[in-house]
Amino acid sequence: MKKEKASYNPKSGFKTPSGYFEGLENKLLEKMKLSETLGEKKSAGFKAPEGYFDGLEDELLEKVNKDEPKVRKLVTKEVFLYAASIAAMVIAFASTFYLNPETQTSWENVELSVMESYIDNNNIDLSTGEISNYIFQKGYIIDDTDLNKVDSEAMMNYLDENLDEPLYMLDEN
Amino acid sequence: MKTSEDLLIKRLQEKKTSSEAFKELVSLYKERLYWHIRNMVKDHEDTHDVLQNTFIKIFKNIHNFKGESKLFSWMYRIATNEAISFLNKRAKRNQISSEDLQQQLIANLESDVYFEGDEIQLKLQKAIASLPAKQQQVFNMKYFQELKYREISEILETSEGALKASYHHAAKKIEEYLKSN
């Protein structure tokens, strides 16, 4: 069938977005098909409990006032060395008195969780902006120069378990 | 000239006025964000948890908002990320794939007191659950929330052309699903 010629006068000043007419037939057909099958009703079928939205403002305000940002403190190299030296002294001291010489340990074997709780208990003051030079693998600390040795699964597990505020990575744009 | 949205953001960012402004913000967006999240996570209690986290994150991060995107799309983006993150954690906790989790959520709808859909609406939910995640989001936003492609484009940071193609594919698959089931 011959296409009807557009009776549009470009002088009117109106225009359409580019590509507007392309595939318009299919889009309309598709819309009609879905409407035919589903009817005009566009509700998903969910409902909220009666009165749920009333007073939500106060409830949420109370929540945000209570909820402190959960920023996990990360260890800088200097602080780590400081903490490590203290831990080493504690271990050396403890081993002198309690440990059998054959089972002596060293600070390299101190688990990160021990360091973290030492720091988390405010024994060392850290700013939240400090970025760690260290990352740990299988519970032990390694230097950032060894990053190529980090197992990617261990890295993902660490981030998943320890990143409380993923939004800090979310860019506004 | 400053718009009412600019003024609201400014009040949210100032400590003295932030509480009142936050209540206004919740009042303006609570229902839209609730239904946006509900379409993704399906269950009311879960939606409530995700909605709370969304508003908490909005409040805590409003000082980082520089107005380079619309407040509306920034908030929707946070809500979308929170809902996705919630679903991923749930799948991981239950040791099932995201696809299996979707099927599980739909199966729960049949006994959900807060789902009042008829047979065709339940079937539609099943059809949506069979789509890839991105197509589900686009379909929900376009079909149920009737957002404009321009708005969805800002929220999902995807070109309008790609969104149109995505919606077209989603609608076609849903149509096929409904006919064959």
Side-chain angles (χ1 to χ4, degrees):
Chain A
M1 202 174 86
K2 198 180 161 192
K3 270 191 183 176
E4 201 165 317
K5 208 174 171 186
S7 56
Y8 169 68
N9 180 356
K11 284 180 188 166
S12 69
F14 296 116
K15 64 173 194 170
T16 60
S18 86
Y20 171 73
F21 292 109
E22 287 162 28
L24 189 62
E25 307 83 338
N26 290 338
K27 283 176 203 160
L28 290 173
L29 209 63
E30 198 171 87
K31 201 168 182 177
M32 279 161 56
K33 273 190 198 166
L34 261 187
S35 305
E36 266 172 36
T37 324
L38 298 169
E40 285 308 313
K41 190 165 60 176
K42 279 194 168 182
S43 159
F46 299 120
K47 65 172 183 175
E50 186 90 27
Y52 168 69
F53 292 108
D54 304 336
L56 202 55
E57 294 82 355
D58 290 318
E59 187 190 330
L60 288 171
L61 184 64
E62 200 183 321
K63 277 258 171 211
V64 294
N65 286 334
K66 231 189 273 176
D67 195 85
E68 286 298 312
K70 294 173 194 166
V71 178
R72 191 158 191 101
K73 292 167 179 175
L74 295 172
V75 190
T76 63
K77 196 167 190 170
E78 292 74 19
V79 175
F80 166 73
L81 290 172
Y82 177 48
S85 59
I86 293 169
M89 281 192 292
V90 171
I91 290 163
F93 179 77
S95 61
T96 312
F97 289 95
Y98 304 110
L99 297 177
N100 182 320
E102 284 172 15
T103 59
Q104 271 191 1
T105 185
S106 67
W107 68 268
E108 283 93 344
N109 294 325
V110 176
E111 283 198 37
L112 182 67
S113 57
V114 177
M115 295 285 185
E116 281 185 333
S117 35
Y118 184 80
I119 293 158
D120 284 348
N121 288 336
N122 293 326
N123 290 316
I124 298 172
D125 190 27
L126 286 175
S127 85
T128 53
E130 286 170 324
I131 298 168
S132 176
N133 288 323
Y134 289 87
I135 191 147
F136 79 102
Q137 186 172 13
K138 291 174 185 165
Y140 294 96
I141 297 169
I142 60 165
D143 193 284
D144 61 352
T145 52
D146 291 334
L147 263 184
N148 56 345
K149 293 178 193 165
V150 178
D151 177 64
S152 61
E153 200 183 338
M155 168 91 85
M156 291 313 290
N157 286 340
Y158 177 81
L159 291 173
D160 190 41
E161 283 166 18
N162 294 287
L163 205 63
D164 291 324
E165 292 288 342
L167 195 71
Y168 289 138
M169 300 202 303
L170 180 71
D171 196 317
E172 187 187 315
N173 297 309
Chain B
M1 205 178 80
K2 281 194 183 296
T3 63
S4 55
E5 186 177 290
D6 293 335
L7 292 172
L8 181 61
I9 294 164
K10 198 163 179 282
R11 287 171 55 222
L12 281 162
Q13 290 172 335
E14 279 171 18
K15 206 171 170 101
K16 209 170 61 182
T17 47
S18 64
S19 293
E20 276 310 303
F22 179 71
K23 281 167 80 169
E24 267 179 57
L25 184 83
V26 174
S27 181
L28 277 170
Y29 290 100
K30 61 184 176 185
E31 295 202 36
R32 274 182 277 180
L33 289 181
Y34 173 88
W35 293 115
H36 174 63
I37 297 165
R38 183 78 186 267
N39 276 320
M40 290 176 76
V41 305
K42 317 292 181 193
D43 174 76
H44 165 72
E45 292 301 330
D46 293 340
T47 304
H48 181 59
D49 289 345
V50 176
L51 184 69
Q52 278 189 11
N53 291 341
T54 300
F55 274 114
I56 288 170
K57 293 224 162 132
I58 289 166
F59 187 74
K60 301 285 181 199
N61 291 282
I62 193 71
H63 56 276
N64 294 328
F65 182 78
K66 293 178 184 70
E68 286 158 9
S69 61
K70 286 209 172 90
L71 180 64
F72 162 84
S73 39
W74 184 68
M75 290 171 59
Y76 260 70
R77 195 146 67 231
I78 293 173
T80 308
N81 287 345
E82 280 299 306
I84 292 171
S85 163
F86 170 85
L87 292 171
N88 289 343
K89 277 185 187 164
R90 174 66 61 86
K92 197 177 165 189
R93 201 181 69 197
N94 294 357
Q95 298 183 313
I96 53 174
S97 68
S98 299
E99 292 75 23
D100 287 345
L101 177 71
Q102 286 293 322
Q103 299 306 323
Q104 208 176 71
L105 294 174
I106 300 303
N108 292 344
L109 284 181
E110 292 182 50
S111 56
D112 188 339
V113 288
Y114 296 122
F115 182 74
E116 56 182 6
D118 54 21
E119 200 186 332
I120 192 80
Q121 284 164 314
L122 186 61
K123 219 165 151 183
L124 175 59
Q125 286 300 322
K126 287 178 183 170
I128 295 170
S130 71
L131 299 173
K134 189 74 178 265
Q135 283 182 20
Q136 288 188 30
Q137 288 169 24
V138 177
F139 186 83
N140 283 332
M141 285 194 242
K142 186 73 196 151
Y143 187 78
F144 294 124
Q145 297 170 66
E146 299 183 324
L147 294 179
K148 294 183 171 63
Y149 281 119
R150 182 179 40 78
E151 293 169 324
I152 304 173
S153 165
E154 279 184 24
I155 297 162
L156 298 180
E157 296 176 304
T158 309
S159 74
E160 287 188 41
L163 289 174
K164 283 176 190 170
S166 202
Y167 182 76
H168 173 80
H169 288 307
K172 208 169 168 185
K173 282 187 209 164
I174 288 173
E175 180 67 28
E176 281 164 11
Y177 183 97
L178 295 173
K179 273 185 185 163
S180 59
N181 284 279

